[in-house]
Amino acid sequence: MLATYKKEVFKNLQTAIELEHSTIPPYLAAFFTIDQDSNAFSWEAIRSVVMEEMLHMTLACNILNAIGGTPYIDHPKFIPEYPAKFNFADRKFDVGILKFSKDSIETFMEIEKPSEIKLNLEGEEIKGLMRQIDLDERTIGEFYETVKEQLKCLVKEYGEKEVFNGDRRLQISPKEYYGGGGEIIEVHNLETALFAIDVIVDQGEGAPDTIFDGDTTFFGQDQEVAHFFRFKEIHVERKYKEGDKPREPPTGAAVAVDWKATKNMIDDPKAANFPKGSPARIKAEEFNQLYSHFLRLLHRTFNGESQLIVKAVGMMYQMKYIAAELLNIQVPDNKEGKVAGPPFEYIPPAERKQYDWLITELVEELV
């Protein structure tokens, strides 16, 4: 019976991994298109959120591995097709690959919206993603409360040793390189699993009844507002300060945001929408190749080759360079002067190619 019940938790944690990753391409699109000099505050805020989403994905993989599951990442159904449908219990909205704008920041706030009411979610079932974000809860925080309750119930019924029986060698540890806020947490029991989930939720929505991400309490790091509130600071062009409340606007110093200082990228770029042989098509296909190799590296990282996380993070930075080239290519026959952009589309392993930017020692294995 334990194996049967675990399958439900496996599915939920795989959904968590896919959910955390599904936010990264839209956030990166805004980050790639923003003018760093004119929007230094927004640039740094979005960059920090992207790195923490990578941390959240890693923590979800650690939890899944800890209970004997297997993270699946290099798969066509791992990523949604953008614009993706995000369906929460109380609202539905699209999340696209869009340039930095007030609209895109509003969408990011919808994603990171904090829980307002704590629910008793024991026994609730969460649907698989299947390239669409379907949650039975109202927020990501409530979704993770479901996972916490399931883990608690399993440990109470079957014991911690039976539930957390995964191979410890699969854990990503703090020894591996990581470049974002917070720290990687090795998961080997209920306490560390719940701690990892609290870090994910608090960084996204804020520690309970606060605007802050909890990193000061958890890791002794500098105090920083949670993702939702970082995006709100950009949106209202004002910083939060000590004493500000989650449901009230920020009252701190003004923030300089130049909404026009961004690359005029087309919405939801697709490689196939550019003419064959055109510079935009060639570079978009190259970006998709890099992105798919990146997913392969992540899959290997979370399935026994933890040292590869350093190279995976390096590939994220390489995406920025290829995206920059795309963002300087005019879209043919576009009267509004729009430019191309990164598509974030999946390339099957059999169709992947070798490029100069591939890490030499991985070429034979990745291609």
Side-chain angles (χ1 to χ4, degrees), residues 4-108:
T4 300
Y5 291 135
K6 266 193 172 185
K7 287 181 180 179
E8 287 301 308
V9 189
F10 289 167
K11 183 176 67 175
N12 293 354
L13 286 167
Q14 177 66 28
T15 295
I17 295 165
E18 295 177 25
L19 172 62
E20 298 298 345
H21 176 268
S22 69
T23 67
I24 293 175
Y27 292 170
L28 279 178
F31 176 69
F32 292 157
T33 56
I34 198 171
D35 182 89
Q36 182 180 354
D37 294 332
S38 301
N39 286 300
F41 177 86
S42 302
W43 185 92
E44 176 55 33
I46 297 171
R47 186 205 67 82
S48 67
V49 170
V50 169
M51 296 308 298
E52 287 177 3
E53 294 297 347
M54 278 293 296
L55 172 63
H56 299 175
M57 183 179 172
T58 301
L59 294 177
C61 287
N62 272 359
I63 299 170
L64 180 55
N65 277 324
I67 63 173
T70 301
Y72 291 99
I73 295 169
D74 188 7
H75 191 279
K77 290 183 179 177
F78 177 74
I79 59 173
E81 183 175 354
Y82 298 99
K85 302 288 185 183
F86 273 50
N87 298 332
F88 288 86
D90 62 343
R91 66 198 194 283
K92 299 180 180 181
F93 55 96
D94 289 343
V95 178
I97 304 298
L98 308 175
K99 69 180 181 180
F100 173 73
S101 66
K102 204 147 193 172
D103 287 343
S104 62
I105 294 299
E106 287 174 359
T107 299
F108 299 165

Side-chain angles (χ1 to χ4, degrees), residues 19 35 61 66 146 148 153 167 171 224 259 267 327 346 351:
L19 172 62
D35 182 89
C61 287
T146 298
K148 288 174 70 172
C153 289
D167 187 344
Q171 293 290 306
E224 190 172 32
W259 298 105
D267 293 350
L327 292 165
Y346 184 84
E351 299 175 21

Side-chain angles (χ1 to χ4, degrees), residues 232-248:
K232 190 165 184 177
E233 286 181 328
I234 297 171
H235 190 261
V236 302
E237 303 178 31
R238 186 168 296 279
K239 294 183 69 173
Y240 282 93
K241 67 179 184 181
E242 191 74 42
D244 283 351
K245 303 298 182 184
R247 293 172 184 82
E248 297 175 1

Side-chain angles (χ1 to χ4, degrees), residues 114-130:
S115 302
E116 295 181 352
I117 302 173
K118 294 295 183 183
L119 301 178
N120 179 8
L121 300 168
E122 185 176 335
E124 293 284 344
E125 180 181 341
I126 300 173
K127 302 174 184 178
L129 277 183
M130 301 301 289

